[in-house]
Amino acid sequence: MRLRHRAGTGLSFDNLGEVTALARGQWPADAPVGEHWSVTRALPRLLALLDEVDLKATFFVEGLNAELYPDALRAIDAAGHEVAFHGWRHEPWGDLEPARERELFEHGLDRLGALGLRPVGFRPPGGELNAATIPLLRELGFTYCSPAGETVEERDGIAILPFRWELVDAWYYLPGFDGPSSPAALREAVFDALDAGGYVTLLFHPFLTEPEERLDVLREVLERARDARPMRDLV
């Protein structure tokens, strides 16, 4: 995306599969990998919904998914959506040392590249960048990143397209966040942001689209965003 697009809405989805649980040691040792319901069940429903409402989205995926779910990533790309980078195994990005950050970028790009995918967008897991992130993004050929923040801007040739936590579904659906636990509250917050103008990043997670009430709210939000203001690709 170019910074001339200071109004509009960027639609994005974060995370796939069991990658975060694997990184945190929360995945049972005897459980299979590569069969997570967020990919086998939720992702096809999301792709069908996006086709139904005639919208394109950016999917920020962890690089390990290139090994666990290559066909799913190819399906996202084939449907006309963007595949962007979200770390290798959802590492807390703000805590990384520069050498480790470079290693994770290069490894992820290599594995995604083997599928014919070349991300130009990056969203740091946890929302925080390092001092070295922007120069590294520029060196590696990225054009934008989407950290937590308030201001659309450009830093050293990299477009900054921030997200706000109160417009993230996890804010309302997961323990440990401050939002009220209600799909209706998410809908209200998004509608208010869309009505306020300016650039808005919407951020959803495939694994948070069930039960059905949540998917219904997502459909309402997408229809409202589509009809109320221009949708912008993140690139």
Side-chain angles (χ1 to χ4, degrees), residues 125-230:
E128 298 297 324
L129 300 171
N130 291 299
T133 304
I134 296 298
L136 186 56
L137 288 172
R138 188 174 64 250
E139 176 187 336
L140 294 175
F142 286 81
T143 61
Y144 77 93
C145 66
S146 183
E150 297 286 339
T151 305
V152 175
E153 59 180 317
E154 185 173 316
R155 298 181 198 166
D156 296 330
I158 299 295
I160 307 298
L161 304 173
F163 69 88
R164 304 193 331 246
W165 285 110
E166 64 270 22
L167 299 180
V168 179
D169 58 356
W171 187 260
Y172 303 88
Y173 298 158
L174 289 181
F177 288 93
D178 293 338
S181 181
S182 164
L186 169 62
R187 177 179 54 211
E188 181 179 358
V190 171
F191 282 13
D192 287 347
L194 294 173
D195 291 343
Y199 181 81
V200 175
T201 295
L202 302 181
L203 198 168
F204 299 93
H205 295 78
F207 76 94
L208 292 176
T209 56
E210 295 185 3
E212 198 72 23
E213 181 186 9
R214 295 180 181 179
L215 190 65
D216 290 341
V217 166
L218 176 58
R219 178 182 285 103
E220 290 182 55
V221 165
L222 296 185
E223 290 174 344
R224 175 68 172 267
R226 179 199 61 198
D227 296 340
R229 58 212 303 243

Side-chain angles (χ1 to χ4, degrees), residues 16-17 34-49 69 72 206-212 215:
L16 277 181
E35 302 176 8
H36 197 272
W37 72 269
S38 69
V39 180
T40 62
R41 188 169 73 234
L43 180 60
R45 296 183 76 190
L46 281 176
L47 294 178
L49 173 59
Y69 299 104
F207 76 94
L208 292 176
T209 56
E210 295 185 3
E212 198 72 23
L215 190 65

